[in-house]
Amino acid sequence: MRPGGQPNMQQLMKQAQKMQQQVAQAQAELAEAELTGTAGGGLVTVTVTGLGEYKAVKIDPKVVDADDVETLEDLVLAAIHNAAEAQRELAEEKMGPATGGLSLPGF
């Protein structure tokens, strides 16, 4: 702080630029990351990017039963939740240092 309690605007701008660069780097790393969520011991697998874009769903034919669609639906939903949790944890890990602990919407 400068005399009189006024912040140094040049220093604040440098800090903001550094933070912006760190956020951009973290976003690039998240975009490249792929995480998986599984359910049913691997019978259903969902792949998601670090930014939350779902890329793939794999279903083992053993779990497909026309008389029990509800179980398959539950397994798919569980795998999606598992993948979303992995994505959220990675986003917190990558974005936390870049934002100085601030919570940013969508990350």
Side-chain angles (χ1 to χ4, degrees):
M1 287 239 204
R2 294 172 29 186
Q6 296 296 319
N8 181 333
M9 289 305 288
Q10 186 176 10
Q11 184 65 26
L12 286 175
M13 290 300 292
K14 284 182 183 179
Q15 288 176 341
Q17 286 175 333
K18 182 179 179 183
M19 184 179 182
Q20 186 178 18
Q21 290 170 345
Q22 290 173 330
V23 167
Q25 176 65 32
Q27 286 176 327
E29 291 174 14
L30 289 171
E32 291 179 16
E34 286 195 356
L35 306 120
T36 58
T38 62
L43 293 173
V44 176
T45 302
V46 174
T47 303
V48 63
T49 70
L51 291 176
E53 178 185 342
Y54 288 88
K55 304 291 275 183
V57 175
K58 301 242 187 253
I59 300 172
D60 188 309
K62 290 186 280 189
V63 76
V64 179
D65 180 353
D67 295 327
D68 187 14
V69 175
E70 188 174 297
T71 295
L72 178 56
E73 292 169 341
D74 290 343
L75 289 172
V76 170
L77 189 57
I80 289 170
H81 285 295
N82 186 258
E85 178 64 18
Q87 183 272 329
R88 185 191 61 74
E89 289 174 3
L90 181 65
E92 283 181 7
E93 176 187 320
K94 296 289 184 184
M95 295 301 289
T99 62
L102 296 175
S103 178
L104 296 178
F107 291 103

